[in-house]
């Protein structure tokens, strides 16, 4: 049944591991009336209150009107292997997400929720952690009323593409995560991260919130 009251949620990266779970969970959430799923290819989940908008990320300004709602869930991401280079990965993980955040802020979106990563640090020598930290820093400058950052570790779940590194490392990290210093890298499912994000979006908290891995396990 179509909802007539509630907030409008925008999900960037709606075909990804977390994005797919978010779209489904938000479409069933009582405080959400509409979900705008932004993706590079059509989504496979269909509900009356879900609108899928397929965009060309090279021309995001042409879709400015699409980033209009109450909250933006940003969970776009790729790998070096899929992108082809670190520079190409940065375009997806930083540039595209920041451009969408700018457009959303200009449209008056109040709450920005970002999937970052454990170890995110703009001063890190690791290209991946540097990218994640850089985006966090840039988002803080946009003036959203509320910003919520989520830092999961290795994500597990069913993806469209096979990722050998995840298949090999997830079981090992699960075993090692009980050791001091390794707990922050415990694998977590996309559904669990999505559930935490939906829960946070339901309540009014601080202007800037940072959720580390141990705060994400709520299922």
């Amino acid at each position: 049944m179509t909802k007539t009251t509630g907030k409008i949620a925008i999900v960037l990266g709606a075909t990804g591991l977390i994005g797919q779970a978010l779209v489904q969970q938000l479409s069933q959430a009582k405080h959400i009336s509409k979900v705008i799923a932004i993706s590079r290819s059509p989504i496979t989940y269909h509900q009356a209150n879900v609108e899928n908008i397929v965009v060309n990320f090279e021309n995001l300004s042409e879709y400015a009107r699409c980033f209009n709602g109450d909250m933006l869930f940003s969970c776009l991401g790729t790998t070096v292997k899929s992108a082809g280079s670190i520079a190409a990965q940065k375009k997806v993980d930083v540039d595209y997400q920041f451009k969408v955040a700018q457009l959303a802020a200009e449209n008056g979106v109040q709450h920005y929720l970002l999937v970052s990563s454990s170890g995110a640090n703009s001063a890190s020598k690791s290209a991946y952690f540097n990218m994640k930290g850089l985006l966090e820093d840039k988002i803080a400058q946009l003036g959203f009323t509320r910003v919520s950052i989520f830092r999961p570790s290795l994500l597990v779940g069913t993806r469209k593409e096979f990722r050998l590194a995840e298949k090999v490392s997830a079981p090992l990290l699960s075993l090692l995560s009980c050791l001091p210093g390794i707990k922050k890298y415990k694998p977590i499912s996309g559904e669990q991260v999505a559930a935490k994000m939906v829960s946070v979006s339901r309540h009014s908290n601080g202007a800037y919130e940072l959720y580390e891995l141990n705060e994400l396990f709520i299922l």
Side-chain angles (χ1 to χ4, degrees):
M1 182 171 67
T2 302
K3 298 175 184 178
T4 57
T5 61
K7 296 182 180 297
I8 296 175
I10 307 162
V11 177
L12 177 65
T15 59
L17 189 64
I18 296 175
Q20 292 182 73
L22 264 174
V23 170
Q24 294 182 33
Q25 292 181 30
L26 287 167
S27 72
Q28 302 299 322
K30 293 182 179 179
H31 67 299
I32 300 297
S33 61
K34 181 179 180 180
V35 180
I36 301 175
I38 306 295
S39 57
R40 288 174 283 189
S41 58
I43 65 174
T44 57
Y45 178 78
H46 304 288
Q47 282 281 27
N49 63 336
V50 175
E51 178 184 2
N52 181 208
I53 301 177
V54 178
V55 305
N56 179 349
F57 281 84
E58 291 296 325
N59 299 298
L60 284 167
S61 294
E62 297 181 6
Y63 304 89
R65 63 177 179 78
C66 302
F67 306 108
N68 203 331
D70 298 289
M71 54 189 73
L72 169 60
F73 294 78
S74 190
C75 47
L76 189 66
T78 188
T79 63
V80 174
K81 182 179 179 180
S82 296
S85 68
I86 291 177
Q89 182 185 18
K90 184 178 179 182
K91 179 180 285 190
V92 175
D93 282 20
V94 180
D95 299 344
Y96 289 163
Q97 291 199 85
F98 182 62
K99 180 61 178 178
V100 169
Q102 285 182 309
L103 295 171
E106 291 170 2
N107 285 339
V109 172
Q110 298 295 302
H111 190 186
Y112 181 86
L113 303 94
L114 172 68
V115 177
S116 185
S117 170
S118 291
N121 187 333
S122 57
S124 175
K125 293 182 179 179
S126 161
Y128 180 76
F129 294 145
N130 175 272
M131 289 179 204
K132 296 301 182 181
L134 178 61
L135 181 59
E136 288 186 10
D137 293 348
K138 289 166 70 71
I139 292 302
Q141 303 170 15
L142 291 180
F144 286 103
T145 300
R146 184 181 175 197
V147 173
S148 303
I149 307 291
F150 303 83
R151 290 180 171 178
S153 58
L154 180 68
L155 294 169
V156 293
T158 303
R159 297 183 186 271
K160 289 183 178 180
E161 77 279 11
F162 177 75
R163 295 186 180 182
L164 179 61
E166 290 183 0
K167 292 295 183 182
V168 172
S169 58
L172 179 60
L173 281 175
S174 294
L175 291 173
L176 295 176
S177 61
C178 60
L179 300 176
I182 304 295
K183 288 184 179 180
K184 63 180 179 179
Y185 298 112
K186 181 180 179 181
I188 186 170
S189 72
E191 287 83 1
Q192 288 173 310
V193 177
K196 180 64 176 183
M197 297 178 80
V198 173
S199 176
V200 168
S201 74
R202 188 176 290 115
H203 307 289
S204 297
N205 293 317
Y208 185 88
E209 308 155 331
L210 182 61
Y211 296 95
E212 297 291 355
L213 177 64
N214 63 323
E215 299 173 281
L216 302 185
F217 291 95
I218 64 172
L219 298 183

